[in-house]
Amino acid sequence: MAKRKDRITEIRSGILIGVAVLIAAIAVYGIYYSLGFGSDGPYVALDRPDGSGDVEVSVFFSYTCPICQRFEESLEDWADDLPAGVTVERIHIASSPTNRMFAKAYVALDRHGAADANQRRIFRAIHDRNRRFDTVEAIADFVDGFGIERATFLRTYASPRIARAVTADEQEFISLGLLGVPAVVVDDKYVINMSGGRKQALAATDDLVRELVAQRASSATTDSGA
């Protein structure tokens, strides 16, 4: 009975998030071009505080998105050459019951350091081999032995902490006014223009990231000499 209630609660949560995303999309669409996304600018700076410490790059994606698969390949190559002081975080959206299942699966894998070992495997299984993952058990079977054991994955997946993390990630997606994936956000403030394609988006991200790293290094040097 308790498991059934948890399942009902999770379904309701997924539905509410989906409705919230739809409402947010409608609200944001009206100001989309006024924010500058309709222009050729490399990014839009949101009205948020400047970051400090490491420069954080958040990449929102979905395993069901074929464009995300192609972007992932470019992202991995780009991330290999990043300077010190930069962190890259992948965030799976949870805007539908299927996406929520995959989002919880990604967070569960990431918690055990098994996300990288399975990232391309899951993309390729879905888009290159037309494999269907209709249940979490199917995902568990697929990732078993690739950085994580089946039982460990299922236990972590079912944790309320994982569900809360996924909900928080989706709320962040909504608050940033994002309309789709893949999406790249730097320091929770700079939303990269994706309209020019993955190469242009990553080039813009690279320029911005290196500029922010240089600014913070200069600021640290100035502060230490004061």
Side-chain angles (χ1 to χ4, degrees), residues 49 62 68 81 88 92 172 197:
S62 168
C68 293
D81 295 324
V88 178
H92 197 297
E172 177 67 3

Side-chain angles (χ1 to χ4, degrees), residues 75-153:
L75 177 68
E76 289 183 8
D77 293 337
W78 171 75
D80 287 340
D81 295 324
L82 286 175
V86 181
T87 61
V88 178
E89 177 187 25
R90 293 172 179 82
I91 302 173
H92 197 297
I93 62 169
S95 54
S96 70
T98 296
N99 270 327
R100 185 171 177 83
M101 178 183 71
F102 279 124
K104 291 177 64 179
Y106 177 80
V107 174
L109 291 170
D110 192 48
R111 289 288 170 91
H112 291 281
D116 288 346
N118 288 283
Q119 191 74 350
R120 287 202 182 189
R121 292 186 69 244
I122 295 175
F123 271 126
R124 288 171 178 168
I126 294 172
H127 300 290
D128 299 343
R129 302 182 181 90
N130 296 317
R131 181 160 181 169
R132 294 179 62 87
F133 294 100
D134 295 323
T135 65
V136 63
E137 287 78 14
I139 300 175
D141 290 338
F142 186 74
V143 302
D144 184 32
F146 289 86
I148 191 170
E149 299 303 315
R150 186 181 192 277
T152 301
F153 170 81

